[in-house]
Amino acid sequence: MSEHVTDWLNAYHDGELRGMGLQRVESHLTACAECRVALEELRALSALLRQTPPEAVFPSAEHFAARLALRLPRHAGLVPARNVWLELGGWLATLGALAVWLFLNITVWVRSAFLLALDAGLLANLPGLQPLPLQMNWVAALTFVWGDQLGLPGQLVLSLLNDVHLFVIRSQGMLFSELLLMLLYLGGLALWWLRQSKSSFSA
Amino acid sequence: MTLSSSELEAALIAQAQRGDRQAYGELVRQYYASVVNVAYRLCGDSDQAQDATQEAFLKAWLNLPSFRPGTSLRNWLYRIAVNAALDALRRERKTIEAAPDDLPLTDPANGPECELLQRERVHLVRGALLSLPEASRAVLVLREYGELSYQEIATVLEIPIGTVMSRLNSARAQLKRLLEAQRWSLEMEYV
């Protein structure tokens, strides 16, 4: 015989078991007299609790409701006015975040396509479409003035600073958009939380 | 067109949320019996239970605007009533008093022996329930008298469902031991 199902008998008795758990308990009960007795005891206990009347007599619902009505505060029970700005703000922040996300993705894809085409030389004949400069003006000026005196380490540092500047220039639009998206998302989340916390009640 | 009971209740709640005392009175009449029963089984004292019930319905009225439509009003009331009853218990600890002799527990036609037995049983059950720890008692009372599911009990008491199961198991086991210790034979009474 399988292991006793004592731990699951309460849940079984209360109709809280489903699926495999229910099948396991039922099949065990058909074979185990000990667990059947334990289940019967649980049933008897529940019956005893439920069928035992209270040791007191309470006023009728009608009487209680009438007495309570006299004690109800006058101004309670008014639904608070909906804060339209709060709700509108929440929706606008959500829609704004969606719009920025769409814009960002489309821009990145179009830009990638153009850069690919530029690198492949497909757009070489189009006026105004030139690849970004690879050397910043201030780096070029420094190299022109002190290039000979900088030596190899100095030129390496200068080249590194140039790359960092290029990276910042190329990615700052993206970073700004990401930041804006994050702020809008967090703003929407904060407004939603504010609405929820206003409407919930824990007594 | 006739409204279903849930639609009728939703309409009453909406009216009460707008300050309609009559609608709230209807809701009170509907839930009073079950709320006072749960409060009584938790407190074990009729005065405390009535005070807790009144406090619960007053609190519910004050906070009704924040009640979310679509959720269970009964469970919400239970939550408030359980908190009120436990607060009342902590404020004022009362000893268990014997049942008043004039309390009509059974039909007098059944005879004095039957009535005596019933009175003894009522007293025993109340005493056994009150000897349980408050946390376990609250779970057991909501299950047996509130007739809530495990999930509903977990929501009302704000505890995990696993805790509901373990507290219920331990409450029933302890209750069984207590009643057996009192030489109370469940089988003899209810078979």
Side-chain angles (χ1 to χ4, degrees):
Chain A
M1 186 172 41
S2 59
E3 213 174 303
H4 289 306
V5 289
T6 323
D7 288 346
W8 298 102
L9 278 183
N10 275 286
Y12 176 75
H13 163 63
D14 291 321
E16 294 278 342
L17 288 184
R18 304 274 181 278
M20 293 287 286
L22 180 65
Q23 279 178 12
R24 191 174 147 244
V25 172
E26 277 179 339
S27 67
H28 178 84
L29 281 171
T30 55
C32 178
E34 200 179 321
C35 284
R36 278 202 303 275
V37 169
L39 179 64
E40 279 313 309
E41 283 176 350
L42 274 181
R43 285 178 177 157
L45 185 66
S46 280
L48 175 69
L49 290 175
R50 291 181 188 205
Q51 290 169 13
T52 304
E55 209 173 7
V57 179
F58 295 108
S60 69
E62 202 61 48
H63 180 77
F64 175 81
R67 210 178 53 189
L68 184 79
L70 298 173
R71 289 174 168 255
L72 290 182
R74 183 171 295 196
H75 297 293
L78 295 175
V79 177
R82 287 171 65 198
N83 190 335
V84 179
W85 289 110
L86 201 66
E87 287 186 18
L88 195 68
W91 280 109
L92 281 179
T94 313
L95 286 175
L98 187 68
V100 169
W101 180 79
L102 273 174
F103 173 77
L104 211 64
N105 274 277
I106 291 169
T107 310
V108 167
W109 279 104
V110 170
R111 187 170 173 273
S112 303
F114 266 97
L115 286 177
L116 215 64
L118 266 178
D119 288 347
L122 294 174
L123 303 173
N125 295 331
L126 284 179
L129 275 178
Q130 295 304 320
L132 281 169
L134 295 177
Q135 195 173 44
M136 306 311 299
N137 290 337
W138 63 273
V139 176
L142 278 179
T143 312
F144 179 74
V145 178
W146 290 299
D148 296 338
Q149 298 162 28
L150 282 174
L152 190 61
Q155 282 177 0
L156 279 174
V157 170
L158 208 59
S159 162
L160 187 70
L161 289 172
N162 181 65
D163 289 347
V164 169
H165 196 165
L166 272 174
F167 174 76
V168 170
I169 286 176
R170 287 178 176 175
S171 59
Q172 67 184 4
M174 191 76 166
L175 281 174
F176 176 74
S177 312
E178 294 274 3
L179 197 67
L180 186 66
L181 186 65
M182 189 183 77
L183 284 175
L184 278 170
Y185 178 74
L186 289 176
L189 215 61
L191 286 169
W192 175 83
W193 179 80
L194 214 63
R195 274 212 315 270
Q196 290 298 310
S197 63
K198 275 192 169 185
S199 66
S200 68
F201 162 67
S202 58
Chain B
M1 193 179 71
T2 54
L3 292 172
S4 68
S5 61
S6 59
E7 285 171 335
L8 189 65
E9 183 179 299
L12 284 173
I13 292 170
Q15 285 172 18
Q17 282 183 315
R18 287 193 295 271
D20 186 332
R21 286 154 174 269
Q22 237 174 345
Y24 188 63
E26 276 300 312
L27 293 168
V28 170
R29 277 187 282 278
Q30 195 173 324
Y31 287 110
Y32 165 72
S34 45
V35 169
V36 80
N37 192 28
V38 162
Y40 172 72
R41 304 292 178 172
L42 266 172
C43 297
D45 180 87
S46 63
D47 291 340
Q48 278 185 347
Q50 286 184 66
D51 289 349
T53 305
Q54 182 169 292
E55 191 185 323
F57 278 110
L58 279 171
K59 229 175 182 178
W61 165 254
L62 288 170
N63 292 285
L64 203 57
S66 62
F67 173 76
R68 284 189 219 172
T71 56
S72 167
L73 180 70
R74 180 191 66 161
N75 295 356
W76 189 64
L77 288 171
Y78 277 160
R79 177 195 289 198
I80 305 173
V82 165
N83 288 338
L86 292 178
D87 284 348
L89 265 181
R90 282 163 204 152
R91 273 199 308 268
E92 192 184 351
R93 300 252 169 215
K94 282 195 176 182
T95 51
I96 304 168
E97 294 157 6
D101 287 338
D102 58 348
L103 188 67
L105 291 173
T106 52
D107 188 349
N110 290 344
E113 271 183 33
C114 181
E115 196 173 336
L116 194 69
L117 198 68
Q118 172 81 324
R119 202 179 290 279
E120 189 188 343
R121 188 179 62 185
V122 165
H123 193 64
L124 198 68
V125 167
R126 187 177 71 143
L129 259 179
L130 285 177
S131 66
L132 294 176
E134 281 174 9
S136 305
R137 198 191 325 153
V139 173
L140 184 73
V141 164
L142 286 173
R143 174 65 212 149
E144 297 291 1
Y145 299 104
E147 296 181 2
L148 299 191
S149 69
Y150 288 5
Q151 185 56 59
E152 287 173 323
I153 296 171
T155 309
V156 166
L157 298 179
E158 292 177 322
I159 52 174
I161 200 161
T163 311
V164 172
M165 292 174 80
S166 62
R167 283 186 189 171
L168 200 54
N169 284 4
S170 94
R172 280 175 173 155
Q174 197 174 338
L175 208 56
K176 186 169 156 277
R177 276 198 304 276
L178 282 164
L179 292 170
E180 277 172 355
Q182 299 278 342
R183 298 171 186 279
W184 190 261
S185 169
L186 303 177
E187 291 86 357
M188 281 178 67
E189 274 298 302
Y190 283 93
V191 169

